[in-house]
Amino acid sequence: MNMNTNEHNKKAEQLDLHSTSNENEKLTTNQGLKINNNQDSLKAGERGPSLLEDFILREKITHFDHERIPERVVHARGSGAHGVFKLTKSLAEYTKAKFLTELGKETPVFVRFSTVAGSKGSTDLARDVRGFAVKFYTEEGNYDLVANNIPVFFIQDAIKFPDLVHAVKPEPDNEIPQAASAHDTFWDFISLMPESMHMIMWLMSDRAIPRSLRMMEGFGVHSFKFINEAGKVHFVKFHFKPRLGVHSVAWNEAQMISGVDSDFHKRDLWEAIENGDYPEWDFGVQLIPEEDEHKFDFDLLDPTKIVPEEEVPVQLFGTLTLNRNPDNFFAETEQIAFHPGHIIPGIDFTNDPLLQGRLFSYTDTQLSRLGSPNFHEIPINRSINTVHNNQRDGHMRQQIVKGKSSYEPNSIGGGCPFQAMMSEGGFTSQQERVSGVKIRERSKSFVDHYSQAKLFYNSQSAPEKTHLQNALVFELSKVTRPEIRERLVGQLAYIDTDLAWKVAEKLGVEVKKLEWLNQSLPADSNMIELQSEEREPHTKISDALSMKNTVKNTIKSRKIGFILANRADGGAVNDLKAKLEAEGARVELIATSVAPVKLNDGSELTPKHSLSSTASVCFDALAICPGEDSVKELMIAENKHLVLHFINEAYKHCKAIYFGKDTEVLYHNSNVAAKQHEDPGITTWEDGDPVDKFIQAIAQHRVWDIEKERNA
Ligand code: HDD
């Protein structure tokens, strides 16, 4: 069975039943009446008033007036794709969930990636967490893993979620800023919430500005539970690891991309799938036997903590592949409704108070967003297992349930639908012993807010640390209230004094630890009570936390910009292009205009871009194509500053650049020549094996290690 096509994909087959195409069809009203004139309304005389009778006009305008639904209160901006999850190793020892036990089983999925804070029309490149929500259409019902690209969360208890979201969203008086966390209300809240500091380390790292949705990890965040056939329980943390490695852009680049192509991630995902470069992730789990729950120096129920991979390795069990773009954004990506409470036998919740609150929120929000308790009947949300129950009616009900009884027990309907026994796949919750006093308090085991923030910071490479410091400086420079900056720097001092000093210096504030700050806080602030002593993490460094260690030796699907003009060296251009494409890269031509370029061998190539219609930030690497006349054309006044800007920007952003034969003049006029140092990212006509060197450089993603030298 192969689900790379839609053959045997039950979800695709189901969606097909609801799909339609207008090809070769006549225009009709919603009642199926063929329309003869869609250009003019019905009027009393050529220049007279429109008639109320015009039901065609009324239907069209009324439908249009109601086309919008509320955007998601968070994660409003999203990009989705269909795909398949394939199990490569059975998890039967740990769970009875069938899609995780039957080796080789393929399960249809729909994945929606999102930013969190911005509105539906905001930029893709905001500094933000990315949602990574996966709906598995299993034969036992829908299973949703509503994940993020960061493995921890800002808060420990769902009751704080509205506060967090109100703080990060645009400020309520002037609705500024859009899709950005660099403002007073966000940092005011964060500076008063020590529990968010681990998350802040991730958010200020380059993980929050991914190069591509295809190059992000996915994390279930909470500990969940696996239950096997014998009833044995394991805590489980879910991971998706991208086959292309985890990569980011530079912050300066992110800001520029937001201007040049605010759909950068959406476009990248769409094009990769259209090109057959199907995004792939390894699916992994960390498994902890129930009896080992208390063996860690943190609480497994605390969503601000990871389980370091050095303590519990991630074991890989499957592959997630996205292989089909949606046919209709609204019908699929917008109307899909995820819910962490959509689970199946063999998977269960833990008492993580953030997860417990989420279990309420998601259905509730769909009711307001999609407008009816029947949102499960929208094609993208339908289970491939048919639905049989006694829930009835409501807005937009579609299922026509036959028979007289809609209650249970009944005899009129022969007792149907029957409850399912466990052996028949009936869901039962884990029989967990629970006892306790009714109490509105935080567990003392949650009171350690800095040790894993230290672990994260200490595990970063030198360039990653610098980027993180710069991100904090950028964000806090936008904060107008000095006391908020100071309070946040006071928090950083608990993580790393050097980090705190570096940030403080650029903000012009002093480093004062929290004891001092506590004096100025309201008595009921949980910061006083929840402030932890300076604890050290059990694991000091975790290689898995640095993106540097995820680099894969591949240039697959990387976008290489070829800069050329008329009379470029045809043989050399085609040879370089062929070699890069053979490695899976995507080459796009950039010329002085989009008119066809004549090469010196008489052949023609049509550029996709002109120097002024795109920018170097949209590419992973640049090749300045060989050819004396081509270079001469690029060097004439109207082109020169555009080409040099292209090269200098790519250089600043630490990309690989290839200078072909005869391009010395461009090289010497650019910033590349001005810097005197060994640069593994630069390939020139003087290099012995230039194409191989160029390929190696692209595969490294960026030469972050010499960023300082490049930008000196
Ligand atoms: Fe949430 C959407 C992920 C905490 C309430 N969340 C939403 C989406 C993702 C996440 C990926 C977008 C789903 C889609 O593409 O449609 N949320 C998370 C993660 C969390 C988390 C990983 C912490 C571990 N969320 C969280 C809390 C609450 C919510 C604590 C409320 C108590 N989340 C929502 C929501 C949304 C949502 C309001 C908005 C749109 C939607 O649900 O369908 O219910």
Side-chain angles (χ1 to χ4, degrees):
M1 188 163 75
N2 174 10
M3 276 197 215
N4 280 344
T5 61
N6 285 333
E7 244 179 294
H8 311 302
N9 178 326
K10 284 196 185 158
K11 187 61 195 176
E13 284 167 13
Q14 188 193 50
L15 287 172
D16 274 349
L17 298 175
H18 298 275
S19 304
T20 172
S21 155
N22 290 332
E23 212 177 318
N24 298 326
E25 297 291 351
K26 297 276 185 285
L27 189 71
T28 72
T29 65
N30 285 338
Q31 305 308 316
L33 174 74
K34 288 189 185 126
I35 296 176
N36 167 261
N37 180 351
N38 187 36
Q39 319 305 319
D40 303 295
S41 55
L42 192 68
K43 293 182 272 296
E46 270 176 22
R47 301 182 59 253
S50 299
L51 297 177
L52 183 60
E53 181 194 317
D54 190 351
F55 61 94
I56 297 179
L57 169 78
R58 277 189 284 116
E59 182 197 81
K60 187 171 171 183
I61 300 285
T62 306
H63 196 279
F64 169 76
D65 289 344
H66 298 268
E67 271 176 13
R68 291 288 169 272
I69 62 168
E71 64 174 34
R72 287 166 172 82
V73 57
V74 281
H75 296 266
R77 180 166 178 81
S79 309
H82 293 273
V84 60
F85 172 75
K86 185 169 180 183
L87 194 71
T88 50
K89 199 171 149 197
S90 173
L91 272 157
E93 195 183 334
Y94 307 100
T95 175
K96 59 185 174 188
K98 289 209 172 76
F99 84 108
L100 294 176
T101 56
E102 293 170 20
L103 195 63
K105 174 131 192 109
E106 297 193 2
T107 303
V109 298
F110 190 89
V111 177
R112 183 175 180 273
F113 302 105
S114 47
T115 50
V116 179
S119 291
K120 198 166 168 278
S122 56
T123 174
D124 280 343
L125 265 292
R127 173 176 293 286
D128 202 350
V129 183
R130 297 300 184 287
F132 191 133
V134 186
K135 193 179 280 292
F136 296 88
Y137 299 98
T138 87
E139 280 162 20
E140 298 180 283
N142 290 345
Y143 169 56
D144 292 357
L145 189 46
V146 196
N148 278 344
N149 75 328
I150 291 181
V152 288
F153 206 64
F154 295 93
I155 47 171
Q156 295 173 321
D157 192 310
I159 201 167
K160 299 303 299 168
F161 191 68
D163 299 301
L164 165 72
V165 175
H166 290 172
V168 72
K169 281 275 189 177
E171 296 183 5
D173 50 354
N174 55 16
E175 179 90 348
I176 297 175
Q178 179 56 249
S181 48
H183 58 114
D184 283 32
T185 55
F186 179 67
W187 289 100
D188 184 25
F189 177 81
I190 293 299
S191 68
L192 295 166
M193 294 289 289
E195 71 203 56
S196 62
M197 291 317 290
H198 184 196
M199 179 71 169
I200 289 299
M201 290 295 102
W202 286 81
L203 186 66
M204 292 299 114
S205 81
D206 289 347
R207 299 239 182 191
I209 39 170
R211 154 64 182 86
S212 161
L213 301 170
R214 304 175 288 124
M215 299 172 198
M216 309 189 308
E217 281 175 292
F219 302 95
V221 181
H222 312 282
S223 300
F224 289 89
K225 280 178 181 170
F226 267 168
I227 304 163
N228 70 9
E229 281 292 355
K232 166 93 182 129
V233 174
H234 279 80
F235 286 91
V236 56
K237 290 266 188 188
F238 292 112
H239 295 251
F240 291 105
K241 291 186 179 276
R243 288 268 171 90
L244 295 175
V246 189
H247 300 296
S248 293
V249 298
W251 176 231
N252 174 266
E253 205 184 341
Q255 293 174 85
M256 294 172 75
I257 295 172
S258 292
V260 184
D261 184 6
S262 61
D263 302 308
F264 186 73
H265 284 156
K266 207 183 261 291
R267 193 185 309 282
D268 169 90
L269 179 67
W270 183 276
E271 286 181 352
I273 294 174
E274 290 300 296
N275 289 337
D277 291 331
Y278 298 145
E280 280 184 324
W281 286 262
D282 287 315
F283 167 77
V285 289
Q286 286 174 294
L287 295 161
I288 299 145
E290 194 181 24
E291 55 276 16
D292 290 351
E293 178 177 1
H294 301 293
K295 283 197 175 159
F296 301 92
D297 63 335
F298 51 86
D299 195 326
L300 279 180
L301 302 185
D302 176 355
T304 66
K305 304 294 181 292
I306 57 162
V307 177
E309 292 189 27
E310 287 68 19
E311 295 179 39
V312 180
V314 175
Q315 303 180 55
L316 303 183
F317 285 88
T319 319
L320 174 72
T321 308
L322 299 181
N323 55 21
R324 187 164 71 84
N325 279 316
D327 288 315
N328 185 288
F329 180 88
F330 181 82
E332 300 172 86
T333 312
E334 191 61 15
Q335 292 202 113
I336 195 160
F338 292 95
H339 186 2
H342 293 164
I343 54 167
I344 53 173
I347 302 178
D348 214 332
F349 314 118
T350 57
N351 295 332
D352 172 344
L354 191 72
L355 174 60
Q356 293 283 319
R358 290 180 79 191
L359 297 180
F360 168 72
S361 187
Y362 287 70
T363 311
D364 194 38
T365 207
Q366 311 309 347
L367 293 176
S368 123
R369 196 169 74 79
L370 299 169
S372 156
N374 291 318
F375 65 84
H376 63 281
E377 293 194 335
I378 296 172
I380 193 71
N381 293 326
R382 287 187 182 217
S383 154
I384 55 168
N385 208 5
T386 39
V387 172
H388 297 283
N389 59 40
N390 294 313
Q391 294 169 30
R392 289 289 182 271
D393 309 342
H395 281 292
M396 304 296 169
R397 181 72 190 194
Q398 299 191 33
Q399 202 175 32
I400 302 167
V401 188
K402 295 181 183 170
K404 274 196 189 304
S405 65
S406 52
Y407 52 88
E408 206 271 324
N410 69 70
S411 67
I412 290 180
C416 306
F418 306 111
Q419 294 183 158
M421 318 253 277
M422 265 172 83
S423 58
E424 297 167 320
F427 179 82
T428 52
S429 296
Q430 184 212 353
Q431 291 196 0
E432 186 187 4
R433 181 175 297 283
V434 178
S435 75
V437 200
K438 199 193 287 176
I439 188 170
R440 203 180 274 282
E441 257 183 34
R442 198 74 55 96
S443 166
K444 293 286 173 283
S445 57
F446 280 36
V447 187
D448 164 24
H449 304 313
Y450 303 107
S451 57
Q452 286 209 348
K454 286 179 201 174
L455 166 64
F456 181 82
Y457 187 69
N458 291 336
S459 303
Q460 302 302 294
S461 64
E464 285 171 315
K465 276 187 182 162
T466 309
H467 292 183
L468 196 155
Q469 292 155 9
N470 292 344
L472 279 162
V473 171
F474 176 95
E475 296 270 312
L476 293 168
S477 299
K478 303 269 179 184
V479 167
T480 60
R481 290 169 175 78
E483 69 276 13
I484 296 176
R485 293 178 177 176
E486 198 159 275
R487 209 156 52 214
L488 202 279
V489 167
Q491 298 270 15
L492 296 179
Y494 273 87
I495 299 168
D496 186 274
T497 14
D498 178 57
L499 168 67
W501 280 107
K502 283 201 165 111
V503 174
E505 194 192 344
K506 298 229 168 99
L507 295 175
V509 299
E510 282 181 56
V511 180
K512 293 178 187 165
K513 276 205 177 178
L514 296 167
E515 287 88 354
W516 174 84
L517 289 161
N518 285 341
Q519 320 295 316
S520 62
L521 290 172
D524 66 346
S525 167
N526 72 356
M527 195 163 150
I528 298 168
E529 198 195 328
L530 291 183
Q531 189 196 133
S532 58
E533 73 277 22
E534 291 183 61
R535 271 169 60 170
E536 288 300 319
H538 177 70
T539 300
K540 303 281 182 256
I541 303 274
S542 171
D543 286 345
L545 301 182
S546 165
M547 289 190 286
K548 191 178 178 186
N549 301 321
T550 71
V551 172
K552 309 278 188 250
N553 194 18
T554 175
I555 64 166
K556 248 180 155 177
S557 82
R558 290 310 177 111
K559 217 190 222 189
I560 324 289
F562 269 37
I563 299 186
L564 79 177
N566 286 306
R567 302 201 50 76
D569 182 336
V573 169
N574 284 317
D575 185 49
L576 180 62
K577 186 167 176 285
K579 283 183 175 147
L580 294 172
E581 286 175 348
E583 297 289 322
R586 298 277 157 196
V587 171
E588 292 186 2
L589 305 185
I590 310 160
T592 55
S593 77
V594 289
V597 171
K598 286 197 176 56
L599 304 180
N600 68 353
D601 57 7
S603 63
E604 271 191 6
L605 287 174
T606 304
K608 182 162 183 188
H609 311 276
S610 77
L611 284 167
S612 50
S613 71
T614 186
S616 80
V617 288
C618 298
F619 300 87
D620 290 300
L622 288 187
I624 320 301
C625 295
E628 226 173 297
D629 291 341
S630 162
V631 171
K632 265 187 203 146
E633 189 182 329
L634 292 171
M635 280 303 283
I636 63 170
E638 63 192 90
N639 300 328
K640 183 177 163 185
H641 75 278
L642 287 173
V643 185
L644 291 177
H645 184 67
F646 237 90
I647 298 172
N648 292 340
E649 288 293 324
Y651 187 63
K652 178 165 113 188
H653 298 136
C654 301
K655 292 174 185 175
I657 310 178
Y658 172 97
F659 288 91
K661 210 161 143 274
D662 310 319
T663 63
E664 286 97 322
V665 57
L666 281 167
Y667 176 88
H668 287 296
N669 275 278
S670 73
N671 290 346
V672 183
K675 317 279 170 172
Q676 297 299 319
H677 56 83
E678 276 297 300
D679 192 327
I682 303 296
T683 307
T684 72
W685 58 92
E686 285 181 338
D687 283 301
D689 211 346
V691 183
D692 274 0
K693 185 176 173 198
F694 187 42
I695 289 173
Q696 284 306 314
I698 305 167
Q700 296 310 302
H701 179 61
R702 301 294 166 82
V703 286
W704 295 130
D705 282 337
I706 59 157
E707 187 173 16
K708 267 197 192 131
E709 288 91 325
R710 278 196 173 192
N711 291 310

